[in-house]
């Protein structure tokens, strides 16, 4: 059987590897943007290519160099693009289509080509690797005369690496409507429907938002995305705090940075210089303040395993030389630590308690038996 220390460290290592796997998530960001196309054929609307239904499609008229353009509202590193061809007829119309990724909106044909579609069977979905090409716009166009561009579904997949906040528990001081705290870590910057993609408190004194990373991490930076639709000044003066205490809802932890301002729809990065902490909070001091967050990203390394040795003097009528009494004492200390926010803690004796006789100064003839021992505390 492995020693308890070895087993505990192994569990943390496995959790860390699983965490790294989960953090590198691939998301379809296509529906977070808005689409346009060169021409419209009846009610075959541009947005039909983003509705998740292969039975509804976008469609241009017959023209020279038809195109369809998706504005992702911010620049992404695009891993791959998927295209679903129409199922009912005319599958060859997509042949020769070019997929482009770039940052030029006015001249769509000047953006670099990710891939060229040779053919897609009727109703099929094909994936095209873009190898991390960066751009705000994804364009599908067909060069030539008398062409028709029909798209029944377009997916744009982006890899989000290393966000420690992903999937963690969120708490905020209050919630207005559907602006839930968890929406600040859903990858969606909320440029289209902020009420379903951003978090927001009500107007209150000292509003706050907090993510529990569950373990202690060494945080290198925090990225905050501000809302695009209005009120960018609401974030002004927000404090980013990192630490292990839940005192004052975590708002007494050390400050990583103070946000002076973030323009509407912009993601700003704040360096935290490897601060250690389990909790990352945003806190705005003042009356009648509203805290709105469209995305919070936390980057760093960990979990960090900390070992702390605590020397204790314990007055006991029972003998702590008995193993059963020592186990009972640890079971009593454990919930006391949990109440103080240390839920991921393992206690064990690093050496057996030793009995000492201490003489009272006032009454030299009397003595008290004091059990002393060292506790080793592993905190993750």
């Amino acid at each position: 059987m492995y020693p308890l220390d070895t087993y505990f460290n192994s569990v943390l290592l496995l959790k860390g590897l699983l965490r790294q796997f989960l953090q590198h998530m691939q998301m379809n960001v296509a529906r977070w943007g808005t689409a346009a196309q060169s021409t419209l054929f009846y009610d075959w609307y541009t947005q039909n290519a983003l509705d998740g239904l292969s039975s509804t499609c976008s469609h241009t008229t017959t023209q020279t160099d038809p195109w369809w353009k998706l504005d992702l509202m911010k620049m992404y590193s695009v891993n791959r693009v998927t295209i679903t061809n129409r199922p009912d007829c005319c599958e060859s119309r997509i042949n020769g289509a070019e997929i482009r990724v770039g940052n030029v909106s006015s001249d769509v044909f000047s953006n670099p080509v990710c891939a060229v579609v040779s053919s897609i069977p009727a109703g099929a979905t094909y994936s095209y690797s873009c190898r991390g090409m960066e751009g705000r716009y994804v364009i599908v166009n067909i060069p030539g005369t008398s062409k028709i561009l029909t798209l029944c579904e377009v997916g744009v997949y982006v890899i989000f690496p290393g966000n420690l906040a992903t999937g963690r528990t969120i708490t905020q001081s209050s919630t207005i409507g559907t602006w839930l705290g968890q929406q600040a870590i859903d990858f969606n910057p909320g440029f289209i429907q902020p009420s379903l993609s951003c978090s927001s408190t009500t107007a209150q004194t000292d509003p706050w938002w907090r993510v529990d990373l569950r373990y202690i991490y060494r945080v290198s930076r925090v990225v905050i995305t501000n809302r695009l639709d209005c009120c960018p000044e609401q974030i002004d003066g927000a404090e980013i705090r990192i630490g292990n205490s839940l005192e004052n809802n975590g708002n007494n932890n050390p400050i990583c940075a103070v946000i002076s301002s973030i323009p509407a729809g912009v993601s700003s990065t704040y360096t935290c210089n490897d601060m250690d902490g389990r909790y990352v909070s945003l806190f705005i001091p003042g009356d009648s303040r509203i805290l709105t967050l469209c995305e919070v990203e936390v980057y760093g390394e960990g979990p960090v395993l900390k070992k702390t040795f605590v020397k204790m003097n314990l007055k006991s009528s029972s003998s702590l030389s008995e193993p059963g009494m020592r186990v009972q004492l640890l079971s009593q200390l454990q919930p006391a630590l949990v109440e103080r926010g240390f839920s991921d803690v393992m206690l064990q004796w690093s050496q057996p308690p030793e009995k000492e006789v201490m003489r009272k100064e006032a009454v030299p003839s009397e003595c008290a038996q004091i059990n002393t021992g060292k506790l080793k505390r592993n905190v993750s």
Side-chain angles (χ1 to χ4, degrees):
M1 180 177 293
Y2 291 101
L4 192 55
D5 268 354
T6 303
Y7 172 76
F8 185 72
N9 290 338
S10 297
V11 170
L12 278 181
L13 177 60
L14 289 174
K15 286 184 177 179
L17 292 174
L18 177 62
R19 184 82 189 130
Q20 290 177 16
F21 173 76
L22 292 176
Q23 285 164 4
H24 291 72
M25 296 184 67
Q26 187 171 221
M27 301 285 292
N28 182 4
V29 302
R31 296 185 200 175
W32 302 352
T34 58
Q37 61 185 3
S38 52
T39 55
L40 174 64
F41 180 76
Y42 291 102
D43 58 352
W44 296 59
Y45 299 112
T46 310
Q47 212 69 17
N48 289 352
L50 301 173
D51 62 3
L53 302 173
S54 59
S55 58
T56 59
C57 311
S58 67
H59 195 306
T60 68
T61 60
T62 302
Q63 65 169 106
T64 299
D65 301 333
W67 54 264
W68 180 95
K69 178 180 68 176
L70 174 63
D71 181 358
L72 297 173
M73 312 298 286
K74 63 181 290 187
M75 189 171 68
Y76 289 98
S77 179
V78 177
N79 183 47
R80 62 188 178 96
V81 173
T82 60
I83 294 180
T84 302
N85 204 2
R86 63 185 297 175
D88 55 337
C89 79
C90 328
E91 65 267 20
S92 61
R93 287 179 180 171
I94 197 69
N95 297 356
E98 300 172 343
I99 302 171
R100 298 173 180 268
V101 178
N103 294 302
V104 180
S105 175
S106 56
D107 181 10
V108 295
F109 305 108
S110 65
N111 290 294
V113 174
C114 155
V116 176
V117 178
S118 57
S119 64
I120 302 176
T125 300
Y126 276 19
S127 180
Y128 301 88
S129 175
C130 293
R131 300 168 296 280
M133 292 178 65
E134 293 188 345
R136 171 174 171 169
Y137 303 99
V138 175
I139 299 100
V140 181
N141 68 278
I142 301 181
T145 58
S146 300
K147 296 289 186 177
I148 297 173
L149 176 60
T150 303
L151 300 169
C152 289
E153 202 64 27
V154 176
V156 179
Y157 290 85
V158 172
I159 294 177
F160 293 88
N163 185 0
L164 301 175
T166 301
R168 293 310 192 191
T169 301
I170 304 299
T171 311
Q172 63 182 5
S173 52
S174 60
T175 301
I176 182 169
T178 60
W179 300 66
L180 305 177
Q182 204 72 20
Q183 292 173 178
I185 58 168
D186 64 357
F187 299 102
N188 188 341
F191 295 150
I192 304 301
Q193 291 183 297
S195 63
L196 299 178
S197 307
C198 305
S199 69
S200 185
T201 67
T202 59
Q204 64 170 105
T205 299
D206 301 338
W208 54 267
W209 177 98
R210 183 181 72 240
V211 57
D212 180 358
L213 301 178
R214 191 175 178 187
Y215 302 103
I216 297 173
Y217 286 86
R218 191 156 290 136
V219 178
S220 58
R221 59 192 171 96
V222 175
V223 182
I224 307 296
T225 301
N226 204 3
R227 64 187 299 176
L228 175 66
D229 59 327
C230 81
C231 331
E233 72 283 352
Q234 288 181 350
I235 197 71
D236 296 357
E239 301 171 352
I240 302 172
R241 293 177 174 264
I242 299 172
N244 299 308
S245 172
L246 285 177
E247 182 181 359
N248 189 25
N249 297 305
N251 299 320
N252 289 349
N253 284 315
I255 294 178
C256 157
V258 177
I259 299 172
S260 57
S261 64
I262 302 176
V266 171
S267 299
S268 292
T269 299
Y270 300 89
T271 301
C272 297
N273 297 315
D274 294 334
M275 294 176 65
D276 283 357
R278 169 176 172 171
Y279 304 104
V280 177
S281 304
L282 279 98
F283 165 71
I284 302 183
D287 298 326
S288 300
R289 301 300 301 269
I290 298 174
L291 176 59
T292 302
L293 301 167
C294 285
E295 204 62 29
V296 177
E297 303 164 57
V298 181
Y299 297 96
E301 296 180 351
V304 178
L305 178 64
K306 289 192 172 183
K307 292 185 178 181
T308 304
F309 292 88
V310 181
K311 185 175 182 179
M312 304 179 67
N313 289 328
L314 304 169
K315 184 177 181 180
S316 173
S317 59
S318 302
S319 174
L320 291 181
S321 60
E322 299 177 7
M325 291 303 301
R326 297 202 297 270
V327 171
Q328 182 178 345
L329 176 61
L330 295 187
S331 66
Q332 293 172 348
L333 287 173
Q334 194 85 30
L337 289 171
V338 171
E339 289 179 2
R340 289 160 175 79
F342 297 97
S343 58
D344 293 295
V345 174
M346 182 188 68
L347 293 175
Q348 68 180 86
W349 294 103
S350 62
Q351 70 181 53
E354 298 176 356
K355 183 184 296 185
E356 292 183 0
V357 177
M358 299 183 65
R359 189 177 301 277
K360 293 184 178 180
E361 294 182 1
V363 186
S365 61
E366 295 182 1
C367 63
Q369 288 187 348
I370 306 294
N371 292 291
T372 64
K374 288 185 178 179
L375 278 174
K376 181 168 70 175
R377 183 180 71 186
N378 290 344
V379 183
S380 64

